[in-house]
Amino acid sequence: MGIDEYGGGQGPGSEVLVVTTNDIPGHQVQQVIGEVFGLTVRSRHLGSQIGAGLKSLVGGELKGLTKTLVETRNQAMERLVEQARARGANAVLMFRFDVAEAADVGTEVCAYGTAVVITHA
């Protein structure tokens, strides 16, 4: 599995800067817009369930499930950025993920943070 398959995050030149910190060095928060979310729920398909069950017998990484989780997290982050942009933000501070089981049929991923308008200090 290459780095592109298990990585994530923003590429260069994104219109909305997303950071996990409270502030951004060299920038000043001009307006706090509020909390934004990106949510997605993915079901597990039978093939990955069987493969994961077999792999759990011998140990090791569940690469199919890892790839699915990466794709799910990236989709949640894209939705968060879309919501922030639609509300007039150019940055999201305190970015976080929550991951939970959704009714034993899939995985829920919620990306969240605080949408703000920043300017160079």
Side-chain angles (χ1 to χ4, degrees):
M1 202 183 262
I3 193 160
D4 291 335
E5 293 182 89
Y6 64 85
Q10 293 184 294
S14 178
E15 293 178 34
V16 177
L17 179 62
V18 179
V19 298
T20 60
T21 56
N22 291 330
D23 52 19
I24 303 168
H27 294 80
Q28 188 172 31
V29 174
Q30 294 298 308
Q31 178 186 0
V32 175
I33 294 171
E35 195 168 29
V36 287
F37 296 93
L39 181 66
T40 186
V41 178
R42 293 275 178 103
S43 65
R44 291 184 222 99
H45 61 79
L46 184 58
S48 70
Q49 292 279 79
I50 293 170
L54 294 173
K55 189 70 167 187
S56 68
L57 296 174
V58 295
E61 181 180 7
L62 305 173
K63 292 183 180 181
L65 292 177
T66 299
K67 187 174 180 180
T68 299
L69 184 56
V70 168
E71 291 168 355
T72 305
R73 286 172 57 120
N74 288 341
Q75 183 178 45
M77 185 172 182
E78 288 168 11
R79 290 179 177 177
L80 169 125
V81 168
E82 288 173 17
Q83 187 184 60
R85 185 183 307 114
R87 293 181 62 193
N90 64 357
V92 175
L93 304 178
M94 294 298 297
F95 173 72
R96 301 286 187 266
F97 281 112
D98 268 347
V99 178
E101 290 295 313
D104 294 327
V105 296
T107 302
E108 170 192 321
V109 175
C110 180
Y112 62 95
T114 303
V116 297
V117 175
I118 57 171
T119 58
H120 287 282

